[in-house]
């Protein structure tokens, strides 16, 4: 793939589910935590906010991709992985079948989110 596209999840009643605001459809590759994420914020190194959105899920995926690239680089031959290799590794370590689509999404005919939850190693 040229890009790895990420949707967002939230915890609802103790279960991971696709956030109602998440991207969906066949263009979404994987889901990552994206609701109520505490992060630093612009303006000062001392400002932290709790935010929700796919803009919170994407950094999770970018961090895992960076870990995978570093793992390849540290190996024998100091390889630089291709995007397809990074995605393949992300896919292998992801949890499949643990995400429930949101109640809102279930009501929306034709909505499709991958049942694949990003996991770091």
């Amino acid at each position: 793939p040229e890009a790895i596209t990420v949707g967002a999840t939230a915890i609802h009643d103790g279960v991971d589910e696709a956030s109602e605001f998440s991207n969906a459809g066949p263009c979404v590759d994987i889901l990552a935590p994206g609701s109520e994420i505490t992060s630093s914020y612009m303006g000062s190194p001392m400002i932290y906010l709790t935010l929700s959105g796919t803009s919170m899920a994407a950094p999770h995926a970018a961090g895992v991709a960076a870990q995978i690239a570093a793992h390849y680089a540290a190996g024998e031959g100091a390889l630089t992985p291709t995007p397809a290799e990074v995605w393949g590794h992300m896919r292998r370590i992801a949890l499949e079948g643990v995400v429930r689509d949101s109640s809102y999404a279930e009501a929306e005919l034709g909505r499709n989110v991958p049942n694949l939850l990003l996991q770091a190693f």
Side-chain angles (χ1 to χ4, degrees), residues 32-115:
S35 292
E36 299 187 26
I37 305 297
T38 300
S39 178
S40 58
Y41 198 70
M42 64 184 167
S44 167
M46 304 305 290
I47 296 175
Y48 295 91
L49 291 178
T50 299
L51 303 168
S52 296
T54 53
S55 58
M56 296 290 100
H60 281 91
V64 171
Q67 283 185 317
I68 292 167
H71 178 76
Y72 273 80
E76 188 176 322
L79 302 173
T80 300
T82 66
E85 289 170 326
V86 170
W87 168 242
H89 196 100
M90 288 175 83
R91 175 77 179 78
R92 281 191 300 280
I93 64 174
L95 298 174
E96 191 165 3
V98 299
V99 177
R100 157 179 89 189
D101 205 346
S102 69
S103 302
Y104 171 81
E106 290 171 4
E108 204 176 306
L109 186 61
R111 180 171 160 130
N112 177 27
V113 293
N115 199 333

